Every structure is written in C-alpha cells, then in structure tokens.
C-alpha cells in the first residue's frame, strides 16, 4: 500500500484561497483522469467540499507522487502552483488513512462532529467508481472510512459536539438576533433557498423543521427545484398527519430569473449553488430591501438574513456593508467555529480512529501477501500432480482406489508442511513492517512473479464484480 493524499482545507488555507481553488463538478472527473494519465498514480479519488479539496492516490513513488498530485491540483483549480503550495498538506500511508478516517468522523470539519461529510465521501467514492479511477485500495479505503464515520456517530456523542454547516449557520444568524433557539428565530418567516443540491436540500429541510411558514426553492434547472419543493410538501403532509397538527410550511419552486423578485418577499435566504460567479450582488440586496419597504410588500420587516454555504461564494461579501442585511458565509463560520467547544466524546472518537487505522493497515498488509500464498499453494498442487503423473508411468498397475489413496496422502503431507509457515507469514505480514514477508516467501520458494501477479489480477476482478 502506497497511499498518498495531497490537499488543502479550512485548516491550512484562508477562505479566499479555498474559494479560488474550488473545483466545479465537471472539473473533478477531468482531474481524476489526468491524475491517472500521468505517472505515478495507479488509482485516484477526489474529495471536494465547501471547505476542502483533497486528491487521494495509490502511487509507487512518494516524491514524484507529491509533485504530480500538487501539479494536477494547481492545473485544475486554476491557482498557480507556487501560490498553492504553501497551503497544501501531504499525508502518506497510515497517516493518510488516519486523515481520511478523521475526516469521516467529523474531527477535521469546520464544525466538529458534523455528519454531512459522510455523504460527500460517498459521492467521492461513487465518482471514482463511475470513472474507474478507484481500484482495490481506494475502494477499500473509502468504504471503510464510511463505516468508521458511522461507527463514531453510533457509539459516541460526537453529534453533540457539532452540527451540519446548515444548522450551525442558522444558529449563528439566530444568536446574532438574540434568539436562544433557531426555532424561536425562524418561526413564521419566509425562506428562499437558492440551489437544489444536497446542501440546499438539507437547508430546506432544516428550515421546514425550524418552523418557517413558506419556502421558495430556486434553481437553474427548474425541474430539480420542483422535485425538492414536492419532497418538502410530502414531508409536510406526512408530518401533519402523524402529529395531528397544522401542516408545515408551504413549498414552491421558482425559476432563477425570479430570484431578485423573491428577495423582496424573503426574510431568510440560504444559497448554495455550483455557480462560478456571484448569484446575488450587493446592489441586488439593496434593491430588494428598497422593494420591501414599499406599502405593497408582504415581507415581515426590512431586515434580510443571508446564509451563503457555497464555495466559491454565491453572495457578494460586500453585503456585510449593506444596511439591513446580515450575512453569514463560510468565512464567518470558520471564525465562529474556531471557538466552538468540543465535546468529551471527541477523545473517544479519536480512539476509534486509531483502532480502525491499525486494523485497516493490518488487513491491507495481510491482503498484500495473500496472492503470494495462493501462488505457493498453486505451485505445490502442480508439483503433486506432476509427481503423481510420474508415479502412474512407473507403476501402471495401480488400481483407481490405490492411486486415489496415494494422491490424497501426498496432498495431506504437502498441506501439513505448508500450513504453519503460510499461517504464520500472514500473521507477520499484518504487523507494521510486514510487507517484506511476501518478497521473502517468493524468494525462498522461487515463485514466478507473473504467477503472483495473475492471482492479484484475478482477485481484484472478483472484488470488482462483488461490488457491482
């Protein structure tokens, strides 16, 4: 295993750099394909979120791997390598595994303990599988990371240590206006959600639970906005039926061209799109506030609360200077979360991560020697067949029963001779520094490297079919 990760996150880079380096969805696939086209990567996967961009790869050369992955990140992010390099971090082998498992548990998130990262890791794996850039190592790694993240959330109270960015952002808006709970602050407000992706969907659902009275969903593809609005309507009906209470907020879809008009109606706006430019400018916000003050405006008041979760940002940062507007964005959240208290359960999660890293490393090292053990046993079986063929030529008078008994006896002798060393070598290979045992076994028994490689290819193919 030669796992390498090169990346940058809110911990290593300012938001301004993260914003410029953000990868559009279509750029992620091209990054993976180019990373594989250039040596030394044999597998690749990219984890790209609003506060991190990380490229994972199975490489055969460390320094060449770091140089190539760094270059690819610079090329596809559009940030010059010299400017990007000071903010990049590098993790290798067990440290890379530890990093991803920590990320999956929410320990490395802007809001410690948030669970949305699991969905983003799942998406990263799905893209690697779809493009066939994720092979055995990265499939095993990302699938195990998902299991470790779920284990952390189920066995500890890490959920109490943090929230999703959506919940944390809304809590920041509520606190700024003196509300103790988001539900107290959101009750009766009109909401506008811009975008219909996973983050926007989470925002819409969170606002609905918080008690807003209406949600308008805008998206460049109106059909996606309609699907999200329809889902909210179904949840509203189901919740009302279960509780025997008044229905939740009304939900409707609107085209992106109507966003500026919707601003005049909204009290709170959450935006998270994949746009490369600003969706809302400071002038747009000033115009919306001016429209809200007119006698025909049904809005509750002149204030406008904005939560921008996009990277690069959707809302002009100059909105901070617009009177009547309160903006919380990724930069604001980064500053606020730096002082957020960490739950005692974080220590338990760190212990889980350490345990899982050790187990994953042992499993990978043990798996590395399996093809060699299989090749050894195959060679032994070939020797048995060859010697039995010679015996048949020298003792043609043996009947079938005698021949079968001799064959079985020889096989038992060979199996007993191989049992202890093969079991022991698997145990030793699972320990740190055990990778050399496969080489020793091949050397001692003069195994054909091509035979070992053939076993590895067949085993990999079986694993791919099982995943399919």
């Amino acid at each position: 295993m030669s796992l390498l990760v090169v990346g940058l996150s809110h911990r290593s880079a300012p938001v301004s750099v993260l914003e410029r380096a953000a990868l559009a969805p279509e750029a992620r696939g091209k990054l993976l394909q180019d990373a594989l086209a250039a040596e030394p990567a044999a597998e690749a996967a990219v984890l790209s979120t609003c506060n991190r961009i990380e490229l994972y790869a199975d490489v055969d050369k460390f320094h060449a791997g770091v140089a190539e992955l760094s270059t690819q990140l610079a090329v596809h992010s559009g940030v010059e390598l010299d400017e990007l390099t000071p903010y990049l971090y590098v993790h290798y082998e067990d440290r890379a595994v530890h990093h991803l498992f920590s990320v999956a548990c929410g320990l490395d998130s802007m809001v410690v303990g948030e669970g949305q990262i699991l969905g983003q890791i799942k998406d990263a794996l799905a893209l690697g599988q779809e493009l066939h850039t994720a092979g055995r190592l990265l499939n095993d790694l990302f699938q195990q990371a998902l299991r470790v993240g779920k284990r952390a959330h189920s066995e500890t109270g890490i959920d109490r240590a943090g929230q999703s960015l959506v919940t944390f952002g809304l809590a920041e808006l509520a606190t700024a206006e003196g509300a103790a709970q988001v539900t107290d602050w959101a009750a009766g407000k009109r909401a506008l959600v811009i975008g219909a992706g996973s983050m926007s969907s989470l925002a819409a659902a969170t606002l609905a639970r918080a008690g807003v009275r209406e949600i308008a969903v805008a998206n460049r593809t109106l059909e996606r906005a309609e699907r999200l609005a329809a889902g909210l309507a179904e949840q509203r009906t189901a919740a009302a039926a279960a509780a025997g209470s008044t229905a939740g907020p009304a939900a409707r879809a609107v085209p992106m061209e109507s966003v500026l008009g919707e601003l005049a109606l909204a009290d709170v706006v959450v935006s998270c799109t994949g746009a490369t430019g600003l969706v809302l400018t400071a002038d747009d916000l000033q115009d919306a506030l001016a429209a809200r003050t007119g006698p025909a405006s049904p809005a509750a008041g002149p204030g406008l609360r904005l939560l921008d979760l996009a990277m690069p940002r959707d809302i002009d940062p100059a909105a901070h200077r617009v009177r009547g507007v309160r903006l919380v964005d990724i930069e604001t959240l980064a500053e606020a979360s730096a002082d957020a208290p960490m739950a005692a359960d974080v220590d338990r999660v760190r212990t889980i991560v350490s345990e899982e890293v050790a187990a994953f490393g042992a499993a990978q090292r043990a798996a590395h020697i399996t093809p060699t053990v299989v090749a050894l046993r195959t060679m032994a079986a070939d020797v048995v067949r060859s010697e039995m063929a010679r015996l048949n030529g020298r003792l043609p008078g043996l009947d079938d029963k005698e021949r079968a008994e001799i064959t079985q006896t020889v096989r038992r002798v060979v199996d007993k001779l191989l049992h202890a060393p093969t079991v022991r070598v698997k145990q030793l290979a699972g320990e740190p520094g055990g990778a050399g045992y496969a080489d020793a076994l091949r050397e001692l028994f003069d195994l054909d490297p091509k035979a070992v490689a053939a076993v590895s290819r067949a085993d990999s193919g079986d694993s791919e079919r099982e995943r399919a």
Side-chain angles (χ1 to χ4, degrees), residues 7-27:
L8 68 161
S9 74
H10 65 101
R11 294 186 181 276
S12 70
V15 171
S16 58
V17 174
L18 281 174
E19 184 177 31
R20 291 173 53 210
L23 295 172
E26 59 274 12

Side-chain angles (χ1 to χ4, degrees), residues 69 108 120 134 137 168 189 198 245 296 381 428 433 447:
L69 296 192
D108 198 60
Q120 294 161 334
L137 175 59
F168 190 55
K189 285 183 169 60
S198 58
S245 61
L428 293 171
L447 296 176

Side-chain angles (χ1 to χ4, degrees), residues 159-295:
D159 291 331
R160 295 192 298 269
Q163 312 143 305
S164 71
L165 282 178
V166 170
T167 308
F168 190 55
L170 293 176
E172 284 294 301
L173 286 174
T175 301
E177 296 186 17
Q181 301 290 332
V182 172
T183 50
D184 298 333
W185 167 79
K189 285 183 169 60
R190 295 172 182 264
L192 170 62
V193 175
I194 306 175
S198 58
M199 186 79 81
S200 299
S201 299
L202 178 60
T206 304
L207 287 166
R209 288 193 299 270
V212 297
R213 63 187 169 107
E214 182 181 86
I215 300 176
V217 181
N219 193 62
R220 295 194 185 281
T221 304
L222 184 58
E223 289 78 9
R224 294 192 65 183
E226 289 172 340
R227 284 198 296 270
L228 176 52
L232 292 170
E234 290 176 4
Q235 293 173 19
R236 169 196 185 196
T237 303
S245 61
T246 305
R252 56 191 175 87
V254 299
M256 284 294 289
E257 301 79 53
S258 302
V259 162
L260 298 184
E262 292 293 331
L263 283 177
L265 304 174
D267 300 302
V268 56
V269 179
V270 179
S271 187
C272 186
T273 73
T276 55
L278 294 175
V279 175
L280 298 177
T281 67
D283 288 342
D284 294 334
L285 300 173
Q286 287 179 326
D287 291 344
L289 288 173
R292 288 165 66 89
T293 59

Side-chain angles (χ1 to χ4, degrees), residues 347-419:
D347 288 337
R348 172 57 182 147
V349 173
R350 287 177 175 151
T351 300
I352 289 175
V353 168
S354 296
E355 293 171 355
E356 293 285 357
V357 170
F360 183 82
Q364 290 294 312
R365 288 187 289 268
H368 179 69
I369 203 169
T370 297
T372 303
V373 172
V374 172
L376 173 60
R377 289 192 171 276
T378 300
M379 183 191 75
D382 290 341
V383 170
V384 170
R385 281 193 295 271
S386 176
E387 290 302 314
M388 287 306 303
R390 289 181 59 193
L391 183 64
N392 289 336
R394 296 170 63 181
L395 298 175
L398 290 174
D399 60 32
D400 291 344
K401 182 177 180 181
E402 292 170 331
R403 187 178 295 105
E405 185 62 36
I406 294 172
T407 301
Q408 188 63 29
T409 298
V410 175
R411 285 175 178 167
R412 280 198 296 267
V413 170
V414 170
D415 286 343
K416 287 182 179 180
L417 286 173
L418 291 180
H419 177 73

Side-chain angles (χ1 to χ4, degrees), residues 415-440:
D415 286 343
K416 287 182 179 180
L417 286 173
L418 291 180
H419 177 73
T422 53
V423 169
R424 183 60 181 146
V425 79
K426 285 184 178 181
Q427 293 172 341
L428 293 171
E431 297 175 359
Y437 286 101
D439 296 332

